[in-house]
Amino acid sequence: MISYAHEGNGVPVVCLHGWPGAASDYRALLPLLERDAQVVVPDLLGFGASFRPGDVERPATDFGRDAQGAAVLELMEHLGFDDAVLVGYDVGSTTATHLARTSPERVRALVLGNAIHPGAAAASLDDDHRAEFWYQDFHELDLVENLVDGSAANVRAYLEYFWSHWGHRGIAAREGVTDELVDAYARPGAFTVSVNWYRSGSATLRTALSLRGQDPPPPVTVPTTVLWGDQDPLFPPRLAEGLERAFTDLRGVHHLEDVGHFVPLEAANEVAAAVRAFL
């Protein structure tokens, strides 16, 4: 069972974090929703309090899209939730979308940050944007373990690069990388396990490569709202094109002009309003 926080009463809302983050990505959102909903914020498999030393010996596929989705469903079963509103960005967005596609009866609605979809995946391979995803290639190498894993100083420097580069509102660069987050990623083996998401083939580049020359996956049919941080260098606004084909019950795509990648932390009020619309 993955670790989780559970606050409030009412309609279940499950919030799924990204990389390089943890359940703490939702610390600004939780107090905004706990009066209106049962808010559950897990650490995904291999992240935060859900990491176990034995995880280092497990194959990367144990931490990919299918496994993360199964862990979320197991948590919902444990809590007695027939369905839930799923909130996600980054890894959390991919996991939530996967569940909405494969188990739509368990997903009441989606509220997503910058969402990975077939159009966005294809655009990630464009010559003028491919270099932004350099870290996904790096995460495939054993070198990442030798340079980063187990070193608090190196973990902090690595995380701070992404939180400052991908974030836009000051809160991301100023408050994103906490001592607690560094401690979680700096435990021996923890950083290596966190990049198993990429090694499993679940991340943007490997997804894009697998889709080349293939029919796109079936669209998501559950009600969906997307909050797109327009200052995210990884998923700039042009990558939102085609969302209406990937999500057939799209209730809105809200472009947040001064928000970057870390939508739940940078735009907690906007995310809370989108969730309330589905309660």
Side-chain angles (χ1 to χ4, degrees):
M1 177 65 66
I2 54 178
S3 177
Y4 65 95
H6 183 193
E7 302 289 345
N9 296 285
V11 174
V13 176
V14 180
C15 301
L16 306 177
H17 65 80
W19 185 96
S24 56
D25 295 353
Y26 287 94
R27 60 188 179 275
L29 181 65
L30 184 58
L32 299 178
L33 288 178
E34 59 187 357
R35 293 185 180 180
D36 305 310
Q38 290 188 71
V39 187
V40 177
V41 188
D43 281 314
L44 292 171
L45 287 170
F47 291 89
S50 295
F51 168 76
R52 303 289 184 271
D55 290 344
V56 180
E57 306 302 323
R58 296 168 61 184
T61 50
D62 283 1
F63 303 91
R65 183 188 299 117
D66 291 334
Q68 297 290 0
V72 173
L73 288 180
E74 181 185 12
L75 176 59
M76 290 172 59
E77 291 284 352
H78 172 72
L79 295 170
F81 296 165
D82 292 330
D83 59 18
V85 177
L86 299 186
V87 183
Y89 85 100
D90 195 84
V91 172
S93 173
T94 302
T95 301
T97 300
H98 175 67
L99 283 176
R101 181 176 287 117
T102 58
S103 301
E105 74 283 357
R106 307 304 302 276
V107 181
R108 179 184 294 252
L110 293 173
V111 176
L112 304 176
N114 298 17
I116 298 171
H117 62 96
S124 71
L125 298 174
D126 290 349
D127 290 343
D128 63 348
H129 195 58
R130 172 68 174 80
E132 194 66 48
F133 291 88
W134 66 269
Y135 68 99
Q136 297 193 9
D137 294 320
F138 179 53
H139 288 173
E140 300 280 354
L141 304 177
D142 292 342
L143 183 63
V144 71
E145 301 165 34
N146 298 327
L147 292 181
V148 182
D149 195 278
S151 167
N154 291 352
V155 164
R156 182 180 292 277
Y158 200 67
L159 298 190
E160 285 179 346
Y161 168 79
F162 292 102
W163 279 87
S164 60
H165 178 53
W166 289 349
H168 184 71
R169 285 187 179 174
I171 190 172
R174 189 174 62 248
E175 302 178 23
V177 181
T178 63
D179 290 343
E180 291 76 15
L181 189 66
V182 172
D183 289 345
Y185 275 90
R187 289 170 293 170
F191 188 85
T192 298
V193 171
S194 82
V195 301
N196 276 341
W197 170 260
Y198 302 93
R199 294 173 176 181
S200 73
S202 299
T204 305
L205 285 186
R206 293 275 291 276
T207 298
L209 291 170
S210 70
L211 288 174
R212 286 203 300 192
Q214 305 293 322
D215 292 332
V220 172
T221 58
V222 306
T224 301
T225 295
V226 176
L227 299 154
W228 200 280
D230 280 355
Q231 298 302 319
D232 180 2
L234 198 62
F235 290 96
R238 69 183 179 86
L239 267 66
E241 296 175 6
L243 278 168
E244 69 284 352
R245 295 188 295 275
F247 300 89
T248 58
D249 191 359
L250 195 59
R251 303 297 176 89
V253 179
H254 305 283
H255 286 269
L256 307 179
E257 294 181 357
D258 64 337
V259 173
H261 185 70
F262 302 100
V263 173
L265 187 61
E266 297 184 66
N269 288 320
E270 292 90 333
V271 175
V275 171
R276 288 194 195 98
F278 289 123
L279 298 183

